[in-house]
Amino acid sequence: MSDKAVPPVREGIRTIGQVTVPEPVFACRDVNVHYGDKHAIKDVNIDIGRAEVLAMIGPSGCGKSTFLRCLNRMNDTIESARVTGLIALDGQDIHDKRRDVVQLRARVGMVFQKPNPFPKSIYENVAYGPRIHGLAADRGELDEIVNVSLRRAGLWEEVKDRLNNPGTSLSGGQQQRLCIARAIAVNPDVILMDEPCSALDPIATARIEDLIDELRESYAICIVTHSMQQAARVSQRTAYFHLGDLIEVGETKKIFTNPQAKLTEDYITGRFG
Amino acid sequence: MNSTSNGVPRTAAETQVRVRAGLARRYRAERRFRAYGLAAVALGISFVVFLFGTVLSQGLSVLRQGYVQLDIIYDPEVIDPAGTRLPDDLAVADYQALVRAALRERFPDVEGRPALRELYGLVSSAASVELQKRVTADPGLIGQRQRVTLLADDTVDMLLKGKVSRSAPEDERRLSDAQVAWVDALRADGALQLRFNRAFFTNGDSRDPEQAGVRGAVVGSFLTLLITLLLSFPIGVGAAVYLEEFAPRNRITDIIEVNINNLAAVPSIVFGLLGLAMFISFFGMPRSAPLVGGLVLTLLTLPTVIIASRAALKAVPPSIREAALGMGASRWQTVVHHVLPLAMPGVLTGAIIGMARALGESAPLLMIGMVAFIVEVPAGALDPSTVLPVQVFLWSDLPERGFVERTSGAIIVLLLFLIVMNATAVVLRNKFEKRW
């Protein structure tokens, strides 16, 4: 894995702070997103490191979710969306004609804002990814993948006796952990989380946050959140977006204690949001 | 400012006064609306009751049919004067003569050609066919005497069912006084009674009401609908999936969408003319065939199926699509594994409602010749045939009292099919419905 194809960040970008990291999973250079006439993301440059949680914060409509959805090309499904610039996963452009979007999404898992388990059994929810990608040769291997994935998502003890119940019968927090188990069942490199706790109560939220902390050892995690406390608790690096601009990136501790940009400071001190 | 002023209320007490003043009016409006709703429902139900009441009261009697028992002498002189016993000879014999002889034997007093003709009119012309069948099956009957149950004429049947008034003047009813007397005589010794009418369910159409059955129309409807279902379901669902899940949103797809909606509103007879011009004139397919009927009804139901399927696909929450795509499922896998199964109840309901509409269509089928008088029950999709609603239309046009009854009988059969199909739609929807 080399980053030979990724150019260095050009001079003169407006983002304050350290946007690059050594040996990044994702390297993004001058990424722009347009929805029709709307310029939703403007010249974003950022690296995403291995085994770290990157939190993206910012007021509503600032483009953080849009940017997250660029990383596994979910914006492809929106007809008016146009993404330009370089997004390199392990040094290779994800928009390269030779790269397949299906393969990309198997490497970059996603957890959505609202828990969206398939209306199938718990087992089938987790087994779906391995099935379509042909990861298990027989039922035994599939059982093992489901078992391991549910354990890693901290859900095994709660559902081991009712794997055939529908996934939608679980509580909201359990559903979201099921979605995480579903995402990690295909061994991704990166997990994208789009406000994964916004529909959950504080206890379920705490469980997911603990889980994110555990998963960080194995996966790079990008999390979009509206809760600054959550960003502070779970992330190592934080990126602050404002109206499509990436204003500031840095270590979470630094961003929250000593923000460099005026906009960042105003936001985290609650002057707007 | 006091509480009765017309200004903006400024205190809770003033607001309460205003609220109370308006309460009665609000509840009155609600009660009035409920009454309108109830009246509408009651009107609808009364029409349904009236429809079922008239159809059932006129049509249920079709389940029974008048039969007469006669002592038939299988006279070798009549059946096989040459004594060959060859099937060809047995097939062409004058079996009507046997019936006539049996009637003369039963009523030896009747004399003179006009009186005898009236007497012979009591038994259906189908009787000779029945006797021919018996003799062909068992030539050993020749020379013997046998009590045989034969179809009575439809006029006798109507008299037995009380649908011909005995008190009416003789020249205003189809049975003469003499015939009524013979019928009473036969009934008195149990030789004439109403029995279960199998013929109605096993025969095709006929000029004689007592022989006419719905089998030909039922089989024709079944074949036509089968072809319609086999074509319109896959084509309709395929088109809906493509338009909803794969097609880009642009001018062309907008135009297609508008046109599909327009097609759903095109009068059905226009589709019949299209079918006549395209399938029969251009492609040279046979007239009156269920194949062509099925193709025409496919054109007719396709817009309905497509619109219903698209609505069902649209109702699948986008979060399910995102979940599947986010897992790395291809668009095709997303549709086949998740979206289509979730849309299935709606798709099936749409398809069955389309089929029910196709079952009730008659106008377009008139155009392609399915209105012909066809006695044979069709054996395949290329045989000439008719369908139930067209059969109803044909019979309703005929003057005999027996056909009035059969018209209602055919309507009952048609309604039964419709009820079964709609019930299937409900059952399927409940069975496949999933919560998310």
Side-chain angles (χ1 to χ4, degrees), chain A residues 69 72 74 77 79 102 105-106 108-110 112 114 116-120 128-129 132-133 168 182-183 186, chain B residues 247-250 319-331 333-334 337-338 341-342 434-436:
Chain A
R69 292 166 62 95
N72 66 347
M74 280 302 271
T77 59
E79 210 147 315
V102 163
R105 289 181 189 150
V108 183
M110 188 153 192
F112 296 85
K114 198 172 147 252
N116 57 355
F118 300 127
K120 298 174 187 255
Y128 183 68
I132 57 170
H133 297 304
T168 43
R182 181 175 69 185
V186 293
Chain B
R249 298 267 179 280
N250 56 30
S319 66
I320 296 292
R321 287 186 190 86
E322 289 200 319
L325 290 173
M327 288 303 300
S330 65
R331 277 168 105 176
Q333 286 173 322
T334 304
H337 295 166
H338 302 287
L342 289 174
K434 281 184 177 166
R435 298 264 134 245
W436 53 77

Side-chain angles (χ1 to χ4, degrees), chain B residues 94-164:
Chain B
D94 182 8
Y95 292 97
Q96 203 65 51
L98 301 182
V99 179
R100 290 197 289 265
L103 282 166
R104 278 198 306 274
E105 189 196 325
R106 176 68 183 74
F107 297 104
D109 303 339
V110 182
E111 278 174 10
R113 281 183 68 97
L116 280 171
R117 185 178 293 166
E118 281 188 0
L119 179 62
Y120 301 154
L122 294 183
V123 179
S124 166
S125 58
S128 61
V129 180
E130 168 70 22
L131 293 181
Q132 182 214 337
K133 264 191 215 156
R134 287 176 179 241
V135 170
T136 319
D138 178 16
L141 282 174
I142 295 169
Q144 292 186 16
R145 186 189 172 91
Q146 189 189 31
R147 198 167 173 82
V148 183
T149 303
L150 297 168
L151 256 180
D153 192 69
D154 62 300
T155 49
V156 176
D157 179 56
M158 288 296 112
L159 184 71
L160 288 178
K161 287 170 179 166
K163 298 198 177 185
V164 171

Side-chain angles (χ1 to χ4, degrees), chain A residues 23-210:
Chain A
E23 293 268 320
V25 181
F26 268 112
C28 306
R29 298 290 177 267
D30 294 323
V31 176
N32 282 277
V33 179
H34 295 261
Y35 290 126
D37 294 336
K38 189 172 178 270
H39 198 172
I41 295 282
K42 299 165 192 163
D43 289 333
V44 167
N45 287 273
I46 192 169
D47 283 357
I48 296 162
R50 290 166 207 287
E52 73 164 17
V53 177
L54 171 71
M56 302 187 192
I57 58 171
S60 294
C62 68
K64 52 197 189 305
S65 288
T66 299
F67 180 70
L68 190 76
R69 292 166 62 95
C70 291
L71 298 178
N72 66 347
R73 287 178 58 184
M74 280 302 271
N75 284 329
D76 288 12
T77 59
I78 300 166
E79 210 147 315
S80 61
R82 197 157 44 82
V83 181
T84 57
L86 173 71
I87 301 174
L89 175 59
D90 280 334
Q92 288 177 308
D93 186 0
I94 63 168
H95 291 103
D96 193 318
K97 290 268 187 292
R98 285 161 296 177
R99 310 262 331 238
D100 191 84
V101 66
V102 163
Q103 211 176 348
L104 169 71
R105 289 181 189 150
R107 277 186 73 181
V108 183
M110 188 153 192
V111 176
F112 296 85
Q113 183 172 3
K114 198 172 147 252
N116 57 355
F118 300 127
K120 298 174 187 255
S121 72
I122 293 169
Y123 184 95
E124 285 301 321
N125 262 285
V126 183
Y128 183 68
R131 259 193 224 283
I132 57 170
H133 297 304
L135 305 186
D138 54 39
R139 181 76 186 194
E141 287 183 21
L142 197 58
D143 285 347
E144 189 189 322
I145 293 174
V146 171
N147 183 319
V148 169
S149 306
L150 284 172
R151 277 183 198 283
R152 301 193 78 166
L155 197 59
W156 176 254
E157 290 302 322
E158 292 158 61
V159 301
K160 64 183 175 189
D161 299 323
R162 46 177 175 145
L163 290 176
N164 290 321
N165 286 17
T168 43
S169 68
L170 299 172
S171 73
Q174 287 173 326
Q175 286 190 19
Q176 198 60 297
R177 277 180 283 145
L178 179 62
C179 291
I180 293 173
R182 181 175 69 185
I184 61 184
V186 293
N187 301 317
D189 287 330
V190 186
I191 302 175
L192 309 177
M193 297 186 177
D194 190 357
E195 299 180 39
C197 302
S198 63
L200 304 181
D201 65 50
I203 293 168
T205 300
R207 291 214 57 170
I208 302 271
E209 287 178 3
D210 290 346

Side-chain angles (χ1 to χ4, degrees), chain A residues 114 119, chain B residues 240 244-245 249 306-321 338-347 429 433-436:
Chain A
K114 198 172 147 252
Chain B
E244 206 53 50
E245 303 289 332
R249 298 267 179 280
I306 293 175
I307 291 169
S309 302
R310 288 189 72 174
L313 290 168
K314 247 187 212 132
V316 175
S319 66
I320 296 292
R321 287 186 190 86
H338 302 287
V339 179
L340 205 48
L342 289 174
M344 228 359 133
V347 171
R429 189 171 48 212
E433 195 139 67
K434 281 184 177 166
R435 298 264 134 245
W436 53 77

